Amino acid sequence: MSKPLRLRAASPLPPRLIVYLFNATDHPSERRAGDYRIQLRLPGQRPRSRGTLESEPGSMLVLAGYIQEFDTFVMWDATAHSEFPYSKGVQVAARTVHEAAIDGVAEQIRLIRSAGVTEHVVAARTDHLVRALIRRHEITRDDLLLETQQYHSGRPSPRADSSQGELW
C-alpha cells in the first residue's frame, strides 16, 4: 500500500483526508506488555533518516494503525508525530484497544516521551470509524485553538509541558 492514502470524504467529515495507515501489532518488546504499536517508516525512507507526514491546507491528516484481531483502528495525533526518525514506534495501551473493541470507541491520553508532550489517542471498531474520525478531527481542531489562544495570551502551550498531566 502506498503512503499516504488521499481520500475524498463527504460530510460530516472534512472533504479531503490524507491517511498514513500502518499495521498495529502487539509486539513482545513493548515497554508495557500487551500494548500495540505502529512503526513509522515511509516508502523510500532510509535508516538514520527522518520522515515527514505530508499535510495540505483544508485536509485532515490522519495517522492510524489497524489491528486486524479486533477489527479496530487507532488514530494518534498526526501533528505530534509529523516529523520522526526511521522506524519510530508509536504506542497505544491494550486497555484502549480492548475498550474500543467492546464499546465501539475509546480514548486515551498519553505522554510522548521523546517530545515531552501529551497526545489524545482515539481507537474505534470499524463500524464506528466515521464517529472516531470526527472525534479525532474535533480534538485536533480544539488543540490548535487552545495553542493559538495561549500563544496570543503569552502563556506556554500545555502540549509542550508534560508536567500539566491530562488536559482533556
Side-chain angles (χ1 to χ4, degrees), residues 23-67:
N23 186 36
T25 60
D26 169 0
H27 199 273
S29 69
E30 276 306 310
R31 290 183 189 109
R32 291 188 327 194
D35 284 0
Y36 290 83
R37 74 171 178 195
I38 58 173
Q39 293 297 126
L40 294 181
R41 192 173 34 212
L42 298 177
Q45 185 182 1
R46 301 227 182 262
R48 295 181 297 282
S49 68
R50 298 196 68 78
T52 303
L53 302 180
E54 299 174 24
S55 62
E56 296 173 3
S59 295
M60 178 181 175
L61 182 59
V62 179
L63 175 60
Y66 179 70
I67 304 166

Side-chain angles (χ1 to χ4, degrees), residues 73-94:
F73 287 90
V74 178
M75 291 170 280
W76 288 269
D77 180 350
T79 304
H81 300 284
S82 62
E83 185 185 347
F84 53 90
Y86 179 80
S87 198
K88 174 186 178 185
V90 182
Q91 297 79 20
V92 63

Side-chain angles (χ1 to χ4, degrees), residues 65-67 70-75 96-97 99-107 121-133 135:
Y66 179 70
I67 304 166
F70 296 108
D71 192 26
T72 298
F73 287 90
V74 178
M75 291 170 280
T96 305
V97 172
E99 284 178 15
I102 293 166
D103 298 331
V105 176
E107 298 182 17
V121 182
V122 179
R125 273 193 332 251
T126 300
D127 60 332
H128 290 276
L129 184 56
V130 171
R131 183 174 135 211
L133 282 164
R135 179 68 180 131

